[in-house]
Amino acid sequence: MARARFNYDPRRDLVQAERHARPPLATPAPALCQHIVFHGAQSDLAYERRACLNICEQLELLPSSELNDQIKAEGAGLTLKWERHTEFSSYTFIAHGIEDRETFVPWGHRDLGWEGVPGKVLVELLIGLETYTDPVWSSLERFSWSGERPLCASLVMSGTTEVESDLLTNDEGITRYLVKTSSTEPSRLGRLVQRLLEIETYGALCLYAWKDVKEIGPLMGEAEGKLSDIIARLARKSGEPDEMILNDLTELSSFHEATTARSHFRLNASLAYHEIVVRRLSELREERVEGCQRLANFIQRRMNPAARTYRAILTRQEETALRISRATQLLRGRIEVAIGKQNQALLASMNERAEAQYKLQKTVEGLSVVAISYYALGIIAYLAAAFVAQLSGVAPGIGVKEIVGFAVPLVLIAVWVSVRKLRD
C-alpha cells in the first residue's frame, strides 16, 4: 500500500528505528554467551566500528545489520553484537553447538586484535545456557563453584529456569552465570540473557562512582567547615573587613563548584544505572531456591546503600551551594548597607560644602556690590565736581558731597539688581 502524501517529520524513521534498537538475541539452549564491556573509551565512533569489523573478519562473521552505533554479525553457530553507549561499548558473543567444551577458549582470551579496541575492560561475563536434560556446562570446571552450591540461585521464567552464580571473578577474570532451563522458547531465553547482561553491566557502572564518593566526602566536609567558619565570622562584630570575608567566600564558592562539577555527572549517571538494575531485577520475578540467596538480595545489598549515599552527596552539594548563596547575599547586603552609609555621609558632606559655597557666594556678592558701588561713586564724584564747578553761581548750596550722598542709594540698588541678573 502506497504511503499517503504527507509531509513526514525527518526524524520519524529515526524514532521508529530507535524503538526497535538493541533487541535481545534469540538464544536456544544449549549456548554459551560472553559479554565484554569496555569503559572510558573517548575515541572516534568510526575507529571503534573498524575495530569491531576487524574482529568480525578474523572470526569469519558477516555483518547482517549495521547501524551507526551497533553492529550485528553472524557466522557458523556464532553471533556477535557490538553496541556503543554513552560511557562504554560492549561486545556480546553467543555460540551454539560448541563441541570442544573442555578446551574451549572464550573469545575475549583469543588474539583477535583486542589491543585495538579503545577503553579498558570493566565487565567480562560468561553465561552457560543448558537444559535440565542435557547439562553440558554444569560438569565443566569453568562453571564449578567454590562450595557445594553457588552463592546465589533463583528460579525465573515461572519456575522453568534456574539461574546460578557466585558473582565472583575466577582466575581468568570472568564472572560466571549458569542458566538451567526446561524452556524451548529462544526468544524468552534471549530476553533472560539480555537482562542478566544488563544487570551485571549497569550494576558495575553503578558502583563505579563509589571511589569518587569516598574522595568527595572529605572535600565536602572541608567545604562545609569553611562555610560554617565564614558564617560565624559574619555573625561576629570583630571589625574584620568585609572584603576579606568576601574573598574567602568567593574562594570557597569556586572550590565547591569545582568539586560539584567533578562528581555531579558521575553520581547522577550512577543513580540512573541503579534504577535500570532494580527494574531488571524486578523483571526476573525471582523465586527462592532453598539454601541460596536470590540475585536481587545479594546485588542490592551493597548497591542500594551506595545509591542512597550518592543521593546524600548530591543533596549535600545542593544544600551547601544554597548556603553559600545565602551567605553571599547576606554579606552583599551588609556591604550595600555600609556603602549606603558612606554615600549618605558623602551626600551630607556635599550638602555642607554646597551650603558653605552658597554662603561664601552671598558674601562675595555683597562685597562685589560694595566694591562696584565704591568705584561707581568715585566716578560720580568726579562728575559731581565738574558739575558743581559749572553751577557754582546758579546753585551755591549744592556741593560734591551732597551729590555723591544722594547717588549712593541709587548706585547701590542699581549695582545689586545688575549682580542678581548676572547670577540668575
Side-chain angles (χ1 to χ4, degrees), residues 24-304:
L25 300 175
T27 312
L32 185 68
C33 173
Q34 186 177 23
H35 183 67
I36 307 173
V37 174
F38 291 86
H39 181 261
Q42 301 294 332
S43 62
D44 183 57
L45 179 60
Y47 178 80
E48 291 196 43
R49 289 175 57 85
R50 287 194 300 270
C52 178
L53 292 174
N54 178 57
I55 294 174
C56 293
E57 182 180 353
Q58 295 191 57
L59 293 174
E60 298 180 354
L61 301 178
L62 181 63
S64 58
S65 64
E66 293 190 41
L67 297 176
N68 189 40
D69 56 355
Q70 54 187 296
I71 295 175
K72 180 183 177 183
E74 296 176 311
L78 177 63
T79 301
L80 167 62
K81 184 171 68 171
W82 168 79
E83 295 178 347
R84 167 72 180 268
H85 297 259
T86 303
E87 291 191 83
F88 66 93
S89 60
S90 64
Y91 289 78
T92 304
F93 299 87
I94 297 180
H96 311 280
I98 298 176
E99 297 180 357
D100 53 342
R101 302 184 185 93
E102 293 283 353
T103 59
F104 178 78
V105 178
W107 300 274
H109 293 245
R110 301 181 190 179
D111 186 12
L112 298 177
W114 292 110
E115 63 277 0
V117 177
K120 297 181 179 180
V121 175
L122 179 64
V123 175
E124 189 174 2
L125 181 64
L126 196 65
I127 300 177
L129 186 65
E130 64 183 18
T131 62
Y132 285 115
T133 58
D134 187 16
V136 295
W137 304 111
S138 300
S139 59
L140 300 182
E141 184 179 355
R142 175 174 282 125
F143 286 97
S144 62
W145 315 116
S146 57
E148 294 182 359
R149 297 184 62 85
L151 174 66
C152 297
S154 301
L155 291 175
V156 297
M157 294 175 56
S158 302
T160 62
T161 303
E162 181 177 345
V163 179
E164 299 179 357
S165 179
D166 60 0
L167 296 175
L168 297 172
T169 55
N170 61 6
D171 296 337
E172 297 176 310
I174 299 175
T175 303
R176 300 153 299 159
Y177 280 81
L178 181 60
V179 178
K180 304 175 183 179
T181 184
S182 60
S183 174
T184 58
E185 302 179 65
S187 59
R188 290 188 69 188
L189 293 174
R191 291 194 295 271
L192 172 62
V193 170
Q194 182 72 17
R195 291 189 184 106
L196 294 177
L197 298 181
E198 292 180 351
I199 288 171
E200 190 67 23
T201 299
Y202 293 118
L205 288 168
C206 175
L207 293 176
Y208 191 81
W210 185 248
K211 182 177 182 297
D212 297 329
V213 167
K214 293 177 69 176
E215 295 175 354
I216 293 170
L219 297 179
M220 288 294 302
E222 180 182 352
E224 290 169 346
K226 289 182 179 179
L227 180 58
S228 299
D229 179 65
I230 290 175
I231 294 176
R233 289 160 60 189
L234 281 172
R236 290 195 301 264
K237 296 181 179 180
S238 58
E240 183 179 5
D242 290 338
E243 292 78 4
M244 184 179 298
I245 300 178
L246 181 60
N247 290 337
D248 293 343
L249 194 57
T250 303
E251 182 179 352
L252 175 61
S253 178
S254 301
F255 173 77
H256 179 68
E257 287 298 325
T259 304
T260 302
R262 170 184 167 185
S263 60
H264 191 75
F265 169 79
R266 178 76 269 149
L267 296 180
N268 280 285
S270 297
L271 288 175
Y273 295 140
H274 171 261
E275 184 178 350
I276 293 175
V277 174
V278 171
R279 188 175 303 167
R280 295 297 179 268
L281 288 171
S282 66
E283 291 171 356
L284 289 178
R285 296 191 297 275
E286 295 178 85
E287 299 176 19
R288 184 177 179 183
V289 173
E290 189 64 30
C292 295
Q293 294 187 68
R294 292 187 302 166
L295 289 171
N297 290 348
F298 181 84
I299 292 174
Q300 296 186 74
R301 177 188 64 85
R302 191 65 194 92
M303 192 175 61
N304 287 350

Side-chain angles (χ1 to χ4, degrees), residues 365-386:
E365 286 180 3
L367 294 175
S368 298
V369 170
V370 173
I372 293 172
S373 299
Y374 175 78
Y375 287 110
L377 290 173
I379 295 172
I380 291 174
Y382 285 112
L383 292 174

